[in-house]
Amino acid sequence: MAGQIGYPTPSRTQTVARKPGALDRFLTTIERVGNKVPHPGIIFFILIGIVIVLSAIFGLLGTSITYEVADPVSGEIETRTTAVRSLLSAEGLRFMITSPVANFLGFGSVGVIIIAMVGVGVAEESGLIATLVRKIVLIAPRSIFTFIVVMLGVVSSIAADAGYLVLVPLGAAAFHSLGRHPLAGLAAAFSGVAAVFLVNVFVTPTDALLAEMTNDAIRLVDPARQVTLVGNLYFMIVSSLLMAVLCTLITEKIVEPHLGPYTGGVPVEAAEGLTPEQSRGLRNAGIALLVFVAVMALLTAPSNSVLRNPQTGAILSGSPFMDGLIIQISALFFAVGFAYGKGAGTINNLTQAIGMIVKTFAGLAGLIFLLLVIAQFIAFFNFTNMAIVLAANLADILQDAPINGVGYIIIFVLIIFLIDVLITGAVAKWAIFAPVFIPLFMRLGGDPNLVLAAYRVGDSPMNVITPLNVYLGVMVGFAAKYQKDAGIGTIVSLMLPYTGILVVAWTLLLIAWYVLGIPLGPA
């Protein structure tokens, strides 16, 4: 776009003249076909009906499975027998009639997105995001900016769901402010948040839980052996950086060329730099950021501080600091957004800031309805136990297969990759698979850390396209802000290249790591 800050983009004539390649045509077909499916809410109503019918059939057949599972609470390995429960039984009918309100109120995504958008709404409506992006573009090359968005998504896994609900819409807004296609920014951020989810450059609370469950499984074979919290740290750090680079290249070389120039919505304003008001707003936001960080440091740094775990004194494990991250993020965005607005003249008082929050909430109505339906589907599906029965049966099949080494890694990654379509929760899957595959690989002379590393590789790439990821519908809502006809097909077509390329490249990285004998983490 002429006159925009940063890097020139191809003109509309140049972009249209580019002959679509095979991948362009394939992704366009995926989007066209996918967008013909009904509204996501209708899809989940249909899925609920399918679950009801299948649960009744398997319930009549008495389908069940006996398996060993690591209990994340007690730390014990238990033998459980789980049977499919019918939703058309007396118990199932009572559940469907009495649980919908509890299902919705207990669906954490609802509260998370409402709380998160309090602060994000102020930061976006005050103009902070657009101005901050413009400032970054003045000092950072375009390719580095894309990498920054992706890498922030990767790091955001330390804050649980905040990356989905905070970073992804900000990524779209940031790209739009640059004159780039906002859906490319959405895809870049979403890839970092979800497709590279189980690795990080930092140790996260999820890592602690996975390590403990791994140790519970190890005790089935060797009670004296265990893995540490940082057993995968080297692999995690390298994976985070390399996969972020790969996601950047996919965004720049595949997704953006496929999308072409953005022609919908409000045009990006031409500008050469920041106005004095915008610069003053950024200074105010910077001061607010420093004050916020100082306050949080005072509340977490001292050994007896209120945001540490009251029992252990830990900051990352079971602490109010980690449990309250979404509140902290929302408060941070509100503080810096309000400070920017006061400096830039876009906010005069708290009443005006509240008006920005109300405006943001008004745009969430469709998303709230979708979350209501998704909450019922997940609750009904979990009630039937069908996912557990299927996952455990697949684990038994793989346990009996005569494989080892590289073949084991490939098959295990593939199984986890496919089962992620049905069970998206990383901890839930590991509770079932760890007691099977950790002892199996140990009997083959393998390192339990390698099994956990393979699990990280298989668990993440499918997250961006599986229909059972509750945030896929959320992504549709974010995309619809910039492209009114966006649907599930739009998101799947954007994210499919990330899934396909990441699972192959990441598996090859793990195989190379294994063959070369590189330590996965500190001994």
Side-chain angles (χ1 to χ4, degrees):
M1 299 181 67
Q4 88 172 32
I5 297 175
Y7 299 88
T9 56
S11 68
R12 182 169 179 82
T13 303
Q14 291 172 322
T15 304
V16 172
R18 183 177 66 87
K19 184 178 180 179
L23 181 59
D24 283 307
R25 294 192 294 271
F26 172 73
L27 294 179
T28 299
T29 301
I30 291 293
E31 178 176 7
R32 187 186 308 115
V33 173
N35 284 345
K36 289 183 179 179
V37 301
H39 184 279
I42 297 176
I43 292 176
F44 278 97
F45 276 123
I46 294 172
L47 289 175
I48 288 172
I50 293 173
V51 167
I52 292 173
V53 173
L54 290 179
S55 71
I57 294 173
F58 289 125
L60 288 174
L61 294 175
T63 305
S64 64
I65 187 70
T66 299
Y67 58 97
E68 290 182 321
V69 61
D71 191 321
V73 177
S74 67
E76 300 292 332
I77 300 296
E78 302 177 352
T79 299
R80 298 180 184 175
T81 298
T82 299
V84 174
R85 295 196 291 177
S86 171
L87 284 166
L88 293 182
S89 64
E91 181 187 16
L93 289 172
R94 283 195 294 267
F95 178 78
M96 288 193 291
I97 292 173
T98 61
S99 68
V101 173
N103 296 339
F104 183 60
L105 293 178
F107 194 43
S109 300
V110 178
V112 169
I113 194 168
I114 290 176
I115 291 174
M117 295 310 289
V118 170
V120 174
V122 173
E124 185 171 3
E125 293 294 329
S126 68
L128 170 62
I129 303 302
T131 302
L132 185 59
V133 168
R134 192 174 290 119
K135 178 68 174 180
I136 292 174
V137 172
L138 291 172
I139 59 176
R142 177 171 174 170
S143 59
I144 290 180
F145 181 79
T146 305
F147 175 80
I148 290 172
V149 171
V150 176
M151 197 64 208
L152 286 175
V154 175
V155 174
S156 74
S157 65
I158 198 171
D161 295 339
Y164 288 101
L165 303 174
V166 175
L167 183 64
V168 173
L170 294 186
F175 270 51
H176 183 234
S177 297
L178 291 176
R180 299 170 67 180
H181 203 297
L183 296 195
L186 181 148
F190 190 29
S191 70
V193 171
V196 198
F197 174 71
L198 268 190
V199 294
N200 206 311
V201 294
F202 304 105
V203 175
T204 71
T206 301
D207 295 321
L209 190 54
L210 294 178
E212 185 56 37
M213 295 170 69
T214 302
N215 286 329
D216 292 335
I218 290 173
R219 295 186 190 105
L220 292 172
V221 179
D222 185 356
R225 189 174 178 182
Q226 66 176 3
V227 299
T228 67
L229 183 60
V230 293
N232 281 174
L233 185 60
Y234 299 158
F235 180 73
M236 288 169 56
I237 292 174
V238 173
S239 293
S240 298
L241 295 173
L242 291 184
M243 295 307 110
V245 169
L246 194 54
C247 287
T248 299
L249 292 174
I250 294 170
T251 303
E252 299 276 2
K253 305 301 182 182
I254 297 177
V255 174
E256 281 197 284
H258 168 70
L259 287 169
Y262 178 62
T263 57
V266 179
V268 179
E269 295 181 1
E272 295 300 329
L274 303 184
T275 65
E277 292 78 13
Q278 290 171 333
S279 297
R280 184 168 59 249
L282 284 183
R283 283 195 301 272
N284 284 5
I287 294 171
L289 174 61
L290 292 176
V291 171
F292 186 89
V293 170
V295 171
M296 296 307 301
L298 290 174
L299 294 175
T300 55
S303 59
N304 60 345
S305 60
V306 297
L307 293 186
R308 287 177 176 261
N309 186 310
Q311 283 74 43
T312 66
I315 296 178
L316 295 180
S317 179
S319 66
F321 174 79
M322 292 304 301
D323 293 340
L325 271 178
I326 195 64
I327 290 289
Q328 297 166 49
I329 291 172
S330 183
L332 172 61
F333 275 101
F334 182 92
V336 296
F338 186 82
Y340 171 85
K342 291 290 288 184
T346 57
I347 296 178
N348 296 317
N349 50 51
L350 281 173
T351 301
Q352 194 171 358
I354 292 174
M356 293 179 177
I357 297 172
V358 172
K359 180 180 178 181
T360 301
F361 280 7
L364 297 177
L367 179 58
I368 297 298
F369 170 75
L370 181 60
L371 293 177
L372 169 65
V373 180
I374 292 174
Q376 308 314 314
F377 168 75
I378 292 175
F380 291 177
F381 190 52
N382 289 341
F383 174 89
T384 67
N385 293 327
M386 287 194 297
I388 294 176
V389 171
L390 178 58
N393 272 299
L394 287 175
D396 287 342
I397 293 172
L398 185 54
Q399 184 178 16
D400 295 333
I403 54 175
N404 55 56
V406 172
Y408 180 92
I409 293 174
I410 294 173
I411 293 180
F412 182 62
V413 168
L414 183 60
I415 290 293
I416 299 301
F417 177 75
L418 295 176
I419 205 66
D420 197 49
V421 174
L422 294 176
I423 307 176
T424 56
V427 173
K429 287 196 298 295
W430 193 231
I432 297 172
F433 282 102
V436 174
F437 296 111
I438 292 294
L440 173 60
F441 200 59
M442 288 179 67
R443 293 186 185 102
L444 296 173
D447 181 3
N449 278 308
L450 179 62
V451 188
L452 182 54
Y455 181 73
R456 297 179 190 276
V457 173
D459 177 74
S460 299
M462 182 64 79
N463 288 338
V464 293
I465 62 172
T466 174
L468 294 191
N469 182 350
V470 297
Y471 290 110
L472 195 66
V474 175
M475 297 305 111
V476 174
F478 290 149
K481 175 179 179 179
Y482 302 99
Q483 181 174 313
K484 299 302 182 183
D485 62 347
I488 291 292
T490 303
I491 303 302
V492 171
S493 69
L494 287 178
M495 305 313 300
L496 201 55
Y498 297 96
T499 297
I501 294 174
L502 284 181
V503 72
V504 173
W506 208 347
T507 303
L508 292 175
L509 173 65
L510 180 60
I511 291 172
W513 208 287
Y514 168 72
V515 171
L516 295 174
I518 304 173
L520 291 161

